[in-house]
Amino acid sequence: MNRRDLLKNMSAFPVLGAFAGTAKLLPFTGEPVKAPLTGKDYFKDLGIRTFINAAGTYTFMTGSLMRPEVLSAIQYASKEYVMLDELHDKVGQRIADLLHCEYATVTSGAASAITLASAGILTGMDEKKVPLLPFLEANGMKTEAIMQNAHRIDYAHAIQNTGLKIIYIDTKEELENAISEKTALMYFLNANNFDGKIQVEEFQQIAKKHNIPTIIDCAADVPPVDNLFRYTKMGYDIVCFSGGKGLRGPQSAGLMLGNKKIIQAARLSTPPRGNTIGRGYKVNKEEVLGMLVALETYLNTDHDKEWKLWESQIKLIGDAAETVSGVVTEVKVPAIANHIPTLHVSWDPKKIPATAADIKEKLRSGTPSIEVAGGTGDHAISITTWMLIPGQEKIVAAQLKKVLSNG
Ligand SMILES: *Cc1c(COP(=O)(O)O)cnc(C)c1O
């Protein structure tokens, strides 16, 4: 089947968005995208490659596509002035009501939420302390944050932006010993829950016993939707989500949920205020509103229907790949973080000599260009469909089959 046939076939699938329940997904037409006002194809004019994202929500691939509801809210907001603090106050309260937590605020991402929450914990509502960050010791503030070695992650740098030093521990005993007068907070990386010796509930309980505030990083942890409620309920003071991953809000937005006092204190380090470590974490009004609407849209999504759509797309692609001799596929769902059906495709190098890098390059240089994710080893890749525009799974299936057959 050539590309033209493919596109023709796809137009026989009317509005595939209908599968996605109330959260309408854009139907894929195969037509080049043009700017509505100018009719320009900006990326093409700039020589920038666009591609089908069969990989997932990767920052280097610009995350996720915002839903039409979010884009409409962004357009709406762009036509009025509002007071930035009032916008944050009211949107934060609305998000808290939706997620049954004490308070919330929109940040410029999960990492920003971690830095700002740390700042709020350090300064409290003392405005004199806000400009003193990140010089903690000289100004009599607490200086340490504690996390498990098994939770080491680059993004924990967000804690250090405030001047806090991270103390790494492994066991419960080490944790209890590490807690001191200097301890400002304890950080938990939810994605690594099962890798550490101390799991999510116990970690929070130990912190509570010692009266230490807790931050949990749940950046990539929807689906399931329940996670938006679960960790504030569990007692974590601050819960952080990315806005531009599963929630499909603005890529430079995120959510900070939880303790009202800490979030209000964190806001002292955010714009419009300038003499703060958070001045660079501005969120424009369009994205503040867009984040709220992305959340509302996500909460209204028929998650079971969406899951079934992903499963059927994964099956289509997996079946196509398996028609090639030497190819094996398996569907796995990560327990936490990127908890979505993920297709692992691997092949026998005796039958298909191409390496994973070769296959990825062939998919990338095809028409249309396709990005997939790495697999385990040199002869494996992985694919997710949740970032596809419905209809694109047919192209991915056909192209994957083609490059594996020629491999
Ligand atoms: C993506 C991610 C972040 C960063 O999130 P942003 O919203 O891009 O700031 C932090 N922690 C984890 C675990 C992530 O997956």
Side-chain angles (χ1 to χ4, degrees):
M1 204 188 260
N2 66 26
R3 174 167 145 77
R4 208 201 291 125
D5 288 340
L6 253 179
L7 295 177
K8 209 164 56 192
N9 260 7
M10 266 171 12
S11 56
F13 285 80
V15 184
L16 277 135
F19 285 119
T22 48
K24 284 176 230 79
L25 297 165
L26 292 166
F28 180 70
T29 62
E31 293 295 314
V33 176
K34 296 258 172 66
L37 291 182
T38 59
K40 280 193 179 165
D41 187 342
Y42 291 105
F43 290 142
K44 192 168 170 238
D45 291 349
L46 288 162
I48 294 170
R49 176 175 63 100
T50 58
F51 52 85
I52 292 177
N53 179 1
T57 58
Y58 292 93
T59 299
F60 75 99
M61 294 186 193
T62 60
S64 56
L65 297 183
M66 292 180 276
R67 293 182 193 273
E69 290 86 340
V70 178
L71 292 170
S72 151
I74 284 174
Q75 279 230 333
Y76 163 89
S78 73
K79 297 187 173 111
E80 298 278 5
Y81 291 96
V82 295
M83 286 297 179
L84 185 59
D85 269 330
E86 185 187 7
L87 175 73
H88 271 296
D89 286 345
K90 294 195 170 142
V91 167
Q93 192 54 59
R94 175 69 67 86
I95 292 172
D97 292 346
L98 286 169
L99 298 181
H100 311 156
C101 58
E102 202 181 35
Y103 205 53
T105 199
V106 174
T107 65
S108 57
S112 154
I114 293 166
T115 302
L116 293 171
S118 303
I121 289 166
L122 287 163
T123 65
M125 290 305 283
D126 186 345
E127 289 185 41
K128 287 193 294 301
K129 284 186 181 163
V130 170
L132 301 177
L133 267 49
F135 306 106
L136 305 179
E137 195 160 11
N139 292 295
M141 285 183 261
K142 294 184 191 291
T143 53
E144 293 177 357
I146 306 175
M147 65 184 277
Q148 297 179 76
N149 257 311
H151 290 209
R152 275 182 190 266
I153 186 167
D154 285 352
Y155 303 116
H157 195 101
I159 300 166
Q160 295 175 327
N161 289 353
T162 60
L164 283 169
K165 181 178 172 222
I166 301 177
I167 308 294
Y168 294 96
I169 53 94
D170 283 306
T171 64
K172 195 177 150 186
E173 199 189 354
E174 283 171 21
L175 173 56
E176 300 259 8
N177 290 335
I179 294 173
S180 76
E181 285 295 295
K182 295 182 185 169
T183 310
L185 63 94
M186 286 163 53
Y187 164 91
F188 194 89
L189 175 61
N190 198 43
N192 287 20
N193 182 45
F194 299 114
D195 301 331
K197 292 205 165 72
I198 313 161
Q199 296 196 351
V200 66
E201 274 171 308
E202 190 179 27
F203 193 82
Q204 194 278 326
Q205 284 157 8
I206 295 170
K208 192 172 175 206
K209 191 174 79 183
H210 293 274
N211 219 2
I212 308 285
T214 42
I215 297 179
I216 185 166
D217 178 349
C218 294
D221 299 354
V222 288
V225 61
D226 312 347
N227 280 355
L228 289 165
F229 304 84
R230 182 162 183 232
Y231 302 101
T232 48
K233 209 173 190 182
M234 197 180 275
Y236 275 85
D237 291 293
I238 295 292
V239 183
C240 307
F241 284 95
S242 288
K245 292 179 180 166
L247 291 172
R248 291 182 56 191
Q251 176 56 191
S252 43
L255 296 174
M256 184 196 308
L257 313 174
N259 183 299
K260 187 165 189 171
K261 279 192 185 139
I262 296 175
I263 295 175
Q264 282 179 327
R267 289 268 309 275
L268 295 179
S269 284
T270 65
R273 287 153 286 272
N275 190 6
T276 67
I277 62 161
R279 174 65 198 202
Y281 303 150
K282 183 159 52 187
V283 191
N284 64 27
K285 64 176 179 300
E286 292 80 4
E287 293 194 330
V288 173
L289 193 70
M291 186 68 250
L292 170 63
V293 172
L295 178 66
E296 286 177 345
T297 309
Y298 185 72
L299 292 172
N300 286 329
T301 299
D302 184 334
H303 299 281
D304 290 337
K305 250 188 188 168
E306 198 170 54
W307 190 272
K308 285 190 186 113
L309 173 67
W310 295 335
E311 281 183 333
S312 70
Q313 293 169 322
I314 285 280
K315 185 174 183 317
L316 183 98
I317 299 168
D319 286 353
E322 287 219 343
T323 60
V324 183
S325 166
V327 174
V328 178
T329 69
E330 191 185 356
V331 185
K332 288 187 198 166
V333 179
I336 316 170
N338 301 302
H339 176 78
I340 35 146
T342 306
L343 183 70
H344 294 263
V345 182
S346 59
W347 55 94
D348 179 354
K350 286 193 211 90
K351 289 190 171 150
I352 303 169
T355 63
D358 296 334
I359 295 294
K360 283 168 93 172
E361 190 46 44
K362 282 181 185 172
L363 289 169
R364 186 174 291 134
S365 57
T367 309
S369 180
I370 298 170
E371 289 287 339
V372 298
T376 33
D378 279 346
H379 298 92
I381 55 168
S382 65
I383 285 174
T384 67
T385 59
W386 66 326
M387 293 298 127
L388 296 181
I389 296 167
Q392 290 180 334
E393 68 278 6
K394 292 183 178 57
I395 300 181
V396 176
Q399 293 284 91
L400 181 63
K401 183 178 163 181
K402 192 171 107 189
V403 298
L404 286 169
S405 308
N406 299 339

